[in-house]
Amino acid sequence: MFFPSVFTGLFALLATGMPIFLALGVMSILLFYHEGVPLIGMPQLIVDHLNSITFLAIPFFVMAATFMQKGGVAKALVDCAYAWVGSAQGGIAIVCVVATAIFAAICGSSVATAMAMGTILVPAMMERNYERKFAVGIVGSSGTLGILIPPSMAFIVYAIIAEQSVPRLFLAGVVPGLLQAGLFIAWSLYYTRKKKYERGVRLPRDEFIRVNIRALPALSLPVIVLGGIYGGFVTVTEAAALSALVAILISVFFYKGCTPQEVIPTIAEAIKRAGTIVFIIMMALAFGHWITGSGFTQSLTNMVIEYDIDGWQFLLLINVLMIFLGMFLENFAVLLVVVPLVLPLLKPLGIDPVHFAVVVTVNLELGLLTPPVGLNLFVLTSITKAPIKEVIQGTLPFILLMLVFLMLVTYIPEISLWLPNLVYGS
C-alpha cells in the first residue's frame, strides 16, 4: 500500500499549485528519509547523473531556440515556405506546417516554435479571412513538431535516462515527424478547400530568389547540427554549442532581430529557461532512483508476467496513462516520472527502447495541446488574445489526427525504426 500513497502524495502536492520540481524534490527527500538513507546521498546521486557530456547539449539547444525566437529567423522561414507553396489553395496553412517543421528542426522546442510562428502566421492567416480558430489550431498543433523532429530536447533527456544513443533517437524522429506534418497538411488542404479560402499570390521570379537566399542562413542550422553529427565531425553536445553560436551570429548580424546590446540579456533568459528544465530533471532523477531501488519496478515486472500482459496491451495502457498525466504535468515531468518506471519492462515485452522513445514523445506532444495545462494553448492565447475556449476548439481536429498518428507509431514500430536501422543496423 506504500507505493500508491507515494504517488497520491505527489499529486496532492501538485494539486496545491506547488511547482513540479519542488513537489518531486519534497517527495524525494521524504522517501530518502523514510528509507533511512542519509540525505547527503541525494545531491551526490544528482551530481553523478548530471556529470554527463550529453546533458550539456540541453542548455545550448535552449540558447539556440531563444535566439531563433527573437532573431527574425521565423519570418525568413515563413517567407521561404510561402515562396514555394503559398500560391496553392489554402497555401498559407501549408506554409504554416512547412515553416513550423523547419523551425522545429532548428530549435528543438515546441513552445518556442509555437510562440515564434504564432506571432507571424496567425495575423497573416486572419488577413486572408481565415477563421482565427483554425489559425491558432494549426499553429499550436504544428508547434508540437518541435519535440519530435530532431534535434529534440525530449530525445536528449530520454537518452540520458535510458542510456540510448542520441543520434539514433534523432533519426527515429525523422519519419514520424514528416508523417505528422503530412497529416496536418492533408487536413489543411481538405479544410481550406471546404471553406473555399483564397489562393495566395505567386511571387515574381526575382522575389522568389531573394527570399530563398535570405532563408539560407536559417536553413544552414539543421545542416550544421544534423550534418555535423551524422558526418562524424562533432558530438551531439558540440553540435548544440555550434548551433547556439550560429544562432547568435545570424540573429544579430544577418537578420538583425536581436541587437548586440540584447545578446547578454537574451543569453540570461536562455539560462533561466534551461535552469527550469535542469531543476525538474534533477528532482525527477532523485525520485526515479527511489522508484528503481524500492522494488516498485520489479513489482510491475512480476505483475506483467503474472497477468500475461502482451506488448500491445502494455503500450495501450502506457498511452492512456501518459495522455492523462500530460493534461496535468509539464512535459519533462511526465517523461522523467514514467520512463524510469517502465524501462525494465521493455525488454521482457519485446519493445525496442528507441521505438518506445517515439511513442513517449508523441504523447508529450499531445500533452502540449490538452487542457488544463497544455502549454501551447496558453502561448497562443497570450500572443493572439483569443479566448482559451476558442484555442481548444481550433486544436481539437488536430488532436484527433494526432491520436490516430499515435496509434500508427505505437503499433507499427518500423515507422520509427526503419531509418535508424538503415543507418546504424538493427
Side-chain angles (χ1 to χ4, degrees):
M1 294 299 292
F2 181 61
F3 296 124
S5 65
V6 170
F7 290 99
T8 301
L10 176 62
F11 284 105
L13 291 176
L14 293 171
T16 66
M18 183 180 289
I20 179 63
F21 79 90
L22 196 54
L24 287 168
V26 168
M27 288 305 302
S28 298
I29 291 171
L30 291 175
L31 291 168
F32 270 68
Y33 179 78
H34 179 269
E35 296 291 328
V37 178
L39 293 183
I40 189 64
M42 184 171 162
Q44 288 174 339
L45 168 74
I46 291 169
V47 170
D48 287 344
H49 277 85
L50 296 188
N51 187 21
S52 163
I53 193 70
T54 303
F55 187 81
L56 283 175
I58 294 175
F60 284 124
F61 276 129
V62 171
M63 190 177 299
T66 305
F67 277 95
M68 291 291 100
Q69 182 184 326
K70 292 191 168 189
V73 176
K75 187 177 188 309
L77 292 175
V78 169
D79 290 344
C80 179
Y82 186 87
W84 285 93
V85 298
S87 61
Q89 176 78 47
I92 190 68
I94 304 172
V95 166
C96 175
V97 180
V98 173
T100 302
I102 298 171
F103 192 85
I106 294 172
C107 81
S109 167
S110 178
V111 173
T113 301
M115 186 174 293
M117 289 298 173
T119 304
I120 299 169
L121 286 165
V122 172
M125 283 190 269
M126 292 179 66
E127 283 176 10
R128 292 166 174 79
N129 299 316
Y130 281 63
E131 294 173 289
R132 184 170 64 174
K133 178 175 69 175
F134 174 77
V136 295
I138 192 170
V139 171
S141 304
S142 299
T144 64
L145 287 163
I147 58 172
L148 183 59
I149 292 179
S152 162
M153 283 185 283
F155 282 146
I156 294 173
V157 174
Y158 181 95
I160 294 169
I161 301 169
E163 299 181 352
Q164 294 294 312
S165 161
V166 175
R168 196 179 188 99
L169 290 173
F170 279 1
L171 283 180
V174 172
V175 175
L178 295 175
L179 177 58
Q180 181 181 333
L183 287 172
F184 287 175
I185 289 173
W187 169 256
S188 301
L189 287 171
Y190 165 76
Y191 187 85
T192 54
R193 287 178 181 176
K194 178 183 175 183
K195 293 288 186 177
K196 297 181 180 178
Y197 289 133
E198 63 183 41
R199 287 177 174 268
V201 178
R202 186 180 296 275
L203 296 182
R205 182 181 178 82
D206 290 347
E207 181 71 5
F208 178 87
I209 294 172
R210 188 189 69 80
V211 297
N212 278 278
I213 292 174
R214 182 170 172 76
L216 286 178
L219 294 172
S220 71
L221 268 167
V223 175
I224 290 170
V225 174
L226 301 179
I229 292 171
Y230 297 110
F233 302 109
V234 293
T235 64
V236 171
T237 303
E238 290 167 345
L242 193 57
S243 74
L245 176 62
V246 174
I248 294 171
L249 292 176
I250 65 174
S251 297
V252 174
F253 298 109
F254 191 86
Y255 296 116
K256 298 181 180 179
C258 184
T259 65
Q261 292 76 19
E262 291 175 319
V263 169
I264 299 302
T266 305
I267 291 175
E269 181 183 336
I271 292 171
K272 183 179 178 182
R273 290 182 182 181
T276 302
I277 297 170
V278 169
F279 268 106
I280 294 172
I281 292 172
M282 287 166 55
M283 297 301 104
L285 283 170
F287 188 70
H289 177 80
W290 175 84
I291 289 173
T292 304
S294 66
F296 186 45
T297 52
Q298 186 59 48
S299 299
L300 281 179
T301 304
N302 294 339
M303 185 181 71
V304 166
I305 295 171
E306 181 182 350
Y307 288 98
D308 196 25
I309 295 175
D310 292 327
W312 73 269
Q313 295 170 318
F314 169 80
L315 288 171
L316 181 61
L317 291 172
I318 288 297
N319 281 334
V320 172
L321 173 64
M322 284 194 289
I323 289 171
F324 174 75
L325 292 177
M327 293 179 179
F328 303 98
L329 299 181
E330 192 270 348
N331 266 359
F332 284 107
V334 177
L335 177 65
L336 288 158
V337 169
V338 172
V339 173
L341 194 67
V342 301
L343 268 178
L345 303 176
L346 300 184
K347 188 173 181 180
L349 292 170
I351 298 169
D352 190 294
V354 174
H355 167 226
F356 187 68
V358 176
V359 174
V360 169
T361 304
V362 175
N363 275 288
L364 298 184
E365 287 186 283
L366 279 163
L368 291 163
L369 298 176
T370 48
V373 187
L375 289 179
N376 281 19
L377 302 178
F378 293 104
V379 165
L380 287 163
T381 297
S382 66
I383 63 178
T384 65
K385 309 304 178 187
I388 188 68
K389 179 181 178 182
E390 184 176 324
V391 178
I392 292 171
Q393 288 174 340
T395 57
L396 188 57
F398 296 96
I399 290 175
L400 296 176
L401 281 174
M402 288 178 68
L403 288 172
V404 173
F405 173 62
L406 175 60
M407 291 298 101
L408 289 174
V409 297
T410 298
Y411 295 114
I412 308 177
E414 289 75 17
I415 294 174
S416 307
L417 298 177
W418 172 77
L419 188 55
N421 286 347
L422 179 67
V423 174
Y424 292 108
S426 55

